[in-house]
Amino acid sequence: MPCEVAARFLILYGSQRGQAQSIAEEICEQAAEYGLTADISCLSKQDKYNVDSEIRPVVFVVSTTGDGDPPDTALKFVRKIKNKSLPHDHLSHLRYALLALGDTNYANFCNGGKTIDSLLQRLGAKHFYATGHADDGTGLEVVVDPWIEGLWDALKKTFSGMSASNQTDAARSDCTQDNNLKNASGQEKNKSDLEVDLHLLKLSEVHSQNEKTVTSDSSDAETHSTTLVASLKQSVPPLSESVLKVPTLPPSYLEVVLEQASTEGETVPSGKDGYHEVSISKAVQLTQDDAVKSSILLELDISEQDVAYQPGDSFDILCPNRASEVEELLLRLDLQMQRNCAVQVSLLKNSSKKAAKVPLHIPQNSSLQFILTWGLEIRSIPKKAFVRALADFTRSSSEKRRLLELCSKEGSADYNSFIRDSNVCVLDLLQAFPSCLPPLSLLFEHLPKLQPRAYSAASSSLQHPEKVHFVFNVVEFPACPEHPARTGLCTGWLVDHISSILQPLGTVPASECLGTSALPKVHVRPRPNSTFHLPSDPSVPVVMVGPGTGVAPFIGFLQQREKEHEMNQEATFGETWLFFGCRHKDKDFLFREELERFVHNGTLSHLIACFSRDEPDAAGTVNRPTYVQHNLLLHAKNVASILLKDKGCLYVCGDAKNMAKDVNDTLLEIIGNELQLDKLDAMKIVAGLREEKRYLQDIWS
């Protein structure tokens, strides 16, 4: 009797902040609905799996971090399969699929997953399903959802091919695992089953046969009229009349108990993660009161801490959720009287969730208020799985229907418009759907860890010993139908936190007017950057592009160069170019006096500034440069000469969504024009600059 191939596969994930892990766990949970069994492991747990001898199909889910790097949890695995001594057929037995996560607002889109994909291919591994590249810039679910839908048919097809191979083997020999492995990798007749099918690339055309369908409850639905407009709370035809395909209900897996116990003495959860409590010794307004954005410089006193940094590094800052929002959430969950209760979290018995574990970011025996303040990202955008779970705790059938629409395949456009793009959080959903009364355990299962916010150092320790500066814009989210007006979580908190010491623009702050104990405190940890530093050879010329607060690391660069020149006046220093931009010369030209001093003493060779909202000058200048990329074009020959002839470096810091893309396009144009190359060849030159670490970015969205 021939052996049967068990319909079992392995999921391996590499996650930096939990998204890849969450998607991997979702795949694992859905597997049973399709008659399959999945095992799951983080790529860092190399004692739990062994791809060198793995005969099951493997599904990889891999995120990207930093400058296109694999996540920290995948680094050991990457080093292992990158070993050049491995033969080209080392993984020829391996059949795999890979889902890469990235963000097109950043360079090297999905490069973490692409790196692993190419290394597996180099070692002979074969795809059984097309690689997916999910873009967080437009919404991961746009690719993730259909990719997962198509995965099940691809897996079944793979198992079918493996089973047929086994039956052929059984006619010739005993059915052993080793023979199965050899035939799975060696028989030409199965090759077509295991290669990537081109039709799988049309992921939007793949439909799951196992999704739950939902129809509109006409008895409770609002009467449609031609005047209805879609919103977070209501839909319009055709969605309101559609049969819905909704995600599978995620299994519950946590049990939360609130106990009357002392929770006094709770502090910021920082010690074990390398954070240092430091004083904010200075806070200075850098913009005029009528500027569109308010920019603030902070000086941190690190004299009592063992903290070292270089210009180009950044610092993580711990910030809490807003007290008013925590209070609203407690009130909405009817838990305001239990705010000081100690929280006990354990795994729910008999949960069907695979590899369930209590989240490490939820500390045991802490108060509920402490956890909601410091542990959970209550401002995070709810994923569709969370929306689906909330629907099951909604009493009103019309409200439940709307939540199901928002998480359904048919309602993807509404989800993107009214939840994702509007930055809606769980509190907004609970306010919009008053009959939704979820248990606390559901929030603990779905809300991610509250993450620190990173800010670039805007100083050099040579010029400011025992201090570090950074600058930020106060982020503002205007009121919209989905939520009230609010400020950015960290920037809004910092503004409130430093209100007692904030000095207006143009004043000389007296940093000693308050005792150290009276100064506001903040918890920070250095976040070294492996590449975004000045060249070790000071004679190498540099071009810096930093509009707005993107100028911050370059202030540190120039302070460093200024001090190095003072200490070694005989040394040769290369040219320095800074392309800066802001809205108005007289309102938000950050660090203007310091930059002009750098030009005056020769530290900065060229300061090229543009002001996008200023009126044309009296001379009526035509085609006045508006943005930094326009000035780059005006100085194209200099930029090209520095990068191509003098082997200089280009640094870009600031907005990823628009500026960094425009600068990259401009660089392609400059190189193409100067070398008379088409766009493809220019792209190869730019890729080479990145590879040589001479085109570096520190960008954010």
Side-chain angles (χ1 to χ4, degrees), residues 29-36 156 210-211 248-249:
E29 288 160 10
Q30 289 188 29
E33 298 177 35
Y34 297 86
L36 305 175
K156 289 178 180 179
N210 293 284
E211 291 176 301
T248 305
L249 180 66

Side-chain angles (χ1 to χ4, degrees), residues 474-515:
V474 181
V475 178
E476 295 184 353
F477 299 99
C480 65
E482 292 78 29
H483 62 71
R486 52 195 179 210
T487 55
L489 185 62
C490 191
T491 61
W493 173 71
L494 283 171
V495 167
D496 293 343
H497 200 49
I498 56 145
S499 58
S500 63
I501 64 168
L502 181 62
Q503 299 289 328
L505 177 67
T507 61
V508 179
S511 58
E512 304 300 326
C513 62
L514 290 174

Side-chain angles (χ1 to χ4, degrees), residues 363-668:
Q364 298 284 11
N365 299 314
S366 292
S367 71
L368 176 57
Q369 180 152 9
F370 181 81
I371 291 171
L372 293 179
T373 301
W374 291 102
L376 302 174
E377 186 99 43
I378 65 175
R379 284 263 194 104
S380 64
I381 297 171
K383 295 181 180 178
K384 287 187 176 182
F386 192 7
V387 178
R388 171 68 184 88
L390 288 171
D392 265 32
F393 293 95
T394 304
R395 292 196 302 265
S396 165
S397 56
S398 60
E399 291 182 7
K400 180 174 183 177
R401 161 75 191 189
R402 182 54 177 154
L403 286 170
L404 291 173
E405 288 172 349
L406 289 167
C407 70
S408 69
K409 182 177 181 180
E410 294 73 16
S412 289
D414 277 19
Y415 173 85
N416 289 336
S417 178
F418 302 121
I419 295 183
R420 184 180 181 278
D421 297 343
S422 299
N423 287 299
V424 159
C425 65
V426 64
L427 184 57
D428 300 324
L429 287 181
L430 294 178
Q431 303 290 29
F433 301 96
S435 76
C436 182
L437 298 170
L440 185 61
S441 59
L442 194 71
L443 273 65
F444 283 16
E445 289 169 355
H446 288 275
L447 289 175
K449 177 184 179 181
L450 178 58
Q451 296 288 348
R453 271 52 175 173
Y455 296 91
S456 299
S459 57
S460 163
S461 58
L462 289 181
Q463 189 152 133
H464 297 280
E466 301 184 333
K467 309 286 186 184
V468 63
H469 295 175
F470 69 83
V471 62
F472 65 91
N473 284 333
V474 181
V475 178
E476 295 184 353
F477 299 99
C480 65
E482 292 78 29
H483 62 71
R486 52 195 179 210
T487 55
L489 185 62
C490 191
T491 61
W493 173 71
L494 283 171
V495 167
D496 293 343
H497 200 49
I498 56 145
S499 58
S500 63
I501 64 168
L502 181 62
Q503 299 289 328
L505 177 67
T507 61
V508 179
S511 58
E512 304 300 326
C513 62
L514 290 174
T516 304
S517 61
L519 292 171
K521 305 289 195 299
V522 68
H523 288 80
V524 302
R525 69 178 174 193
R527 192 175 177 177
N529 191 309
S530 60
T531 58
F532 202 84
H533 295 144
L534 280 168
S536 56
D537 179 359
S539 68
V540 174
V542 297
V543 177
M544 300 165 283
V545 182
T549 57
V551 75
F554 305 134
I555 296 299
F557 280 16
L558 294 167
Q559 289 178 1
Q560 183 90 353
R561 276 284 168 92
E562 184 179 48
K563 281 296 180 181
E564 288 174 344
H565 188 264
E566 288 178 10
M567 294 185 294
N568 188 2
Q569 296 188 7
E570 302 302 317
T572 301
F573 288 85
E575 275 194 320
T576 51
W577 290 67
L578 174 63
F579 291 85
F580 174 79
C582 61
R583 288 176 174 81
H584 300 283
K585 183 176 183 179
D586 296 328
K587 294 181 181 180
D588 53 3
F589 192 162
L590 307 184
F591 301 102
R592 179 177 179 177
E593 292 182 1
E594 188 167 8
L595 289 171
E596 289 174 345
R597 188 190 84 234
F598 289 142
V599 173
H600 181 72
N601 65 26
T603 302
L604 180 57
S605 310
H606 305 275
L607 172 60
I608 314 296
C610 57
F611 312 101
S612 61
R613 302 292 193 275
D614 277 347
E615 295 295 326
D617 55 32
T621 305
V622 180
N623 295 326
R624 176 173 55 89
T626 305
Y627 300 112
V628 287
Q629 64 268 24
H630 300 145
N631 268 329
L632 282 169
L633 272 179
L634 290 177
H635 298 273
K637 289 191 178 297
N638 300 99
V639 172
S641 177
I642 288 171
L643 294 177
L644 303 176
K645 180 182 176 183
D646 301 331
K647 302 300 180 182
C649 297
L650 171 64
Y651 301 86
V652 180
C653 182
D655 166 52
K657 194 171 185 179
N658 298 305
M659 183 277 298
K661 286 183 177 180
D662 292 340
V663 167
N664 189 74
D665 291 343
T666 301
L667 181 61
L668 290 172

Side-chain angles (χ1 to χ4, degrees), residues 58-91:
V58 179
V59 175
F60 292 88
V61 184
V62 184
S63 64
T64 298
T65 188
D67 190 22
D69 301 317
D72 294 343
T73 54
L75 291 179
K76 285 184 180 179
F77 178 75
V78 170
R79 283 197 292 269
K80 178 180 177 181
I81 62 174
K82 205 173 184 177
N83 187 339
K84 292 184 178 180
S85 67
L86 295 175
H88 292 311
D89 61 350
H90 183 69
L91 296 178

Side-chain angles (χ1 to χ4, degrees), residues 4 37 39 70 80 287 289 296 301 433 481 555 571 575 640 667 677 693:
E4 294 182 4
T37 301
D39 297 310
K80 178 180 177 181
T287 49
D289 291 340
I296 295 173
D301 183 350
F433 301 96
I555 296 299
E575 275 194 320
L667 181 61
L677 299 175
K693 306 300 182 186

Side-chain angles (χ1 to χ4, degrees), residues 147-160:
W147 191 88
I148 293 176
E149 287 178 17
L151 175 65
W152 309 117
D153 283 342
L155 278 166
K156 289 178 180 179
K157 187 175 181 181
T158 300
F159 285 124
S160 176

